[in-house]
Amino acid sequence: MVKMHISTLKTAKKIEGQLKGRDLLSLVDYTSEEIDYLLQKALVMKKDARAGKIPPVLQGKTLGMIFEKHSTRTRISFEVGMVQLGGHAMYMNANDLQIGRGESVYDTGNVLSGYLDAVMIRANSHEMVEELAKHSSIPIINGLTDMFHPCQALADLLTMIEVKGTVAGKKLAYVGDGNNVAHSLAIGAAHMGMHVAIATPKGFEFNPNLFVKAKKIASANGGSVTQTYDPVEAVKDADIVYTDVWASMGQEEEAAARLEAFKGFQINDALVANAKKDYMFLHCLPAHREEEVATSVIDGPNSYVFQQAENRLHAQKAVLAALL
């Protein structure tokens, strides 16, 4: 089982060496100890920021940010994070780059490696991001793909730790689409020894290969991962209840059909009555109020969505400082 809170300087130094220069494509590629290290580093960096102590550890470093998809939290948090750490972030719309006109990922990766210290990319295809990492000599950070959203999951776990303390053994219920957010959330929670219950409609299940991996990671850390088609079963006695939009970017044409398929999966007062009284509600945002979540829940006393959104900044600063 993972030991929460990296306790010795020797262990921390070892993990620092493991992370320096690494890519962050998914949390599957990271050990439980490495994820715990990043979360503890984020907690320290957030505390220091609140106290006005932000050392310019990335002075002279430049992060290139490539976007194939729209963004609010990812773009702003990465850009602000680099500035706070003394570095510089450069926004690049993929359509404005030569890669948008057919330049190979091989050429793009090699060229950018000569200009930048790292690349954060928000892309349509996870396979393309993997190829970019293969042909780059600098860290590549996944800001979102069709398969994973690791930076979001780190911010989610950071928020859970702040509110619940040690999260090992806590029950996390995810209700909604078995998408990229669900994948990274479940894998991250599995690394932390949590009990993850995933409820999706039929036809919108968690990726089966990733489900097997998540179960294996959870088992090694004293946790568990289960799937159901019953939201009430998933939410019963949950410490954390989480959802995401039913139609993500690129799925707008499916919105009407998804609204029908996801009936009964809304996070509302009736559903969260099955969770623990002190449950916390999380949503990666943007939210469609009165679709996947009732306004009374997302704006209610158990909601931590804005603390969660702010934590994108602190979690990503920890990632940037560790990898660079």
Side-chain angles (χ1 to χ4, degrees):
M1 182 185 297
V2 62
K3 294 180 180 179
M4 296 299 292
H5 309 304
I6 302 302
S7 57
T8 67
L9 181 62
K10 184 178 180 181
T11 302
K13 288 294 183 183
K14 179 184 176 182
I15 294 175
E16 284 176 5
Q18 293 169 185
L19 292 177
K20 188 174 181 180
R22 285 267 293 278
D23 299 318
L24 176 57
L25 305 186
S26 85
L27 297 183
V28 176
D29 308 321
Y30 276 55
T31 67
S32 302
E33 289 78 12
E34 288 168 344
I35 294 170
D36 181 48
Y37 171 86
L38 289 173
L39 293 170
Q40 300 311 318
K41 189 176 186 68
L43 285 168
V44 172
M45 296 183 84
K46 182 174 182 178
K47 182 180 178 181
D48 287 348
R50 293 288 173 85
K53 302 173 184 177
I54 306 178
V57 294
L58 297 184
Q59 189 167 0
K61 303 286 188 181
T62 301
L63 173 71
M65 305 189 302
I66 302 175
F67 288 87
E68 289 187 337
K69 291 189 173 186
H70 298 299
S71 172
T72 297
R73 282 149 291 277
T74 298
R75 177 180 177 179
I76 295 172
S77 57
F78 267 107
E79 190 160 347
V80 171
M82 280 299 292
V83 171
Q84 287 187 359
L85 296 176
H88 176 71
M90 179 184 298
Y91 171 81
M92 297 178 285
N93 187 308
N95 292 327
D96 296 333
L97 300 176
Q98 294 296 343
I99 194 172
R101 299 178 63 247
E103 183 173 36
S104 71
V105 175
Y106 174 88
D107 288 351
T108 300
N110 279 280
V111 168
L112 293 181
S113 295
Y115 298 145
L116 303 167
D117 297 288
V119 168
M120 185 283 296
I121 181 166
R122 189 172 172 90
N124 295 311
S125 165
H126 190 73
E127 287 75 15
M128 187 272 272
V129 174
E130 289 181 322
E131 186 179 357
L132 181 66
K134 180 180 178 181
H135 301 302
S136 301
S137 59
I138 56 176
I140 304 299
I141 301 170
N142 177 2
L144 177 144
T145 64
D146 58 337
M147 189 61 67
F148 296 109
H149 200 351
C151 295
Q152 178 65 56
L154 289 173
D156 299 338
L157 293 169
L158 178 60
T159 311
M160 295 178 206
I161 291 169
E162 287 181 326
V163 176
K164 295 294 184 181
T166 301
V167 294
K170 294 287 193 292
K171 181 178 179 180
L172 165 63
Y174 176 89
V175 178
D177 189 17
N179 60 13
N180 49 2
V181 169
H183 295 159
S184 290
L185 177 69
I187 290 166
H191 275 294
M192 294 296 101
M194 300 181 71
H195 298 292
V196 184
I198 305 159
T200 69
K202 291 183 178 179
F204 298 90
E205 296 88 352
F206 200 90
N207 179 281
N209 292 329
L210 292 177
F211 181 71
V212 171
K213 290 181 180 180
K215 281 178 66 72
K216 184 177 180 180
I217 293 168
S219 178
N221 289 292
S224 62
V225 181
T226 59
Q227 285 194 100
T228 179
Y229 298 116
D230 183 359
V232 173
E233 179 185 342
V235 171
K236 183 174 176 56
D237 297 324
D239 298 282
I240 302 104
V241 178
Y242 195 118
T243 193
D244 189 12
V245 294
W246 293 339
S248 299
M249 285 179 290
Q251 298 173 335
E252 288 81 5
E253 292 182 359
E254 305 173 21
R258 283 173 172 263
L259 278 174
E260 183 65 27
F262 281 81
K263 279 184 177 178
F265 283 79
Q266 184 189 75
I267 306 297
N268 51 36
D269 294 322
L271 183 59
V272 297
N274 296 282
K276 291 182 179 177
K277 288 185 178 180
D278 64 344
Y279 83 95
M280 60 185 295
F281 173 73
L282 296 175
H283 191 306
C284 57
L285 301 181
H288 296 161
R289 283 168 159 76
E290 300 305 328
E291 285 189 13
E292 75 274 4
V293 59
T295 300
S296 58
V297 172
I298 194 171
D299 291 338
N302 295 77
S303 177
Y304 292 85
V305 297
F306 297 118
Q307 181 175 335
Q308 175 189 8
E310 180 193 338
N311 280 338
R312 288 292 302 278
L313 171 63
H314 305 295
Q316 286 158 193
K317 281 162 62 177
V319 168
L320 290 167
L323 301 189
L324 295 183

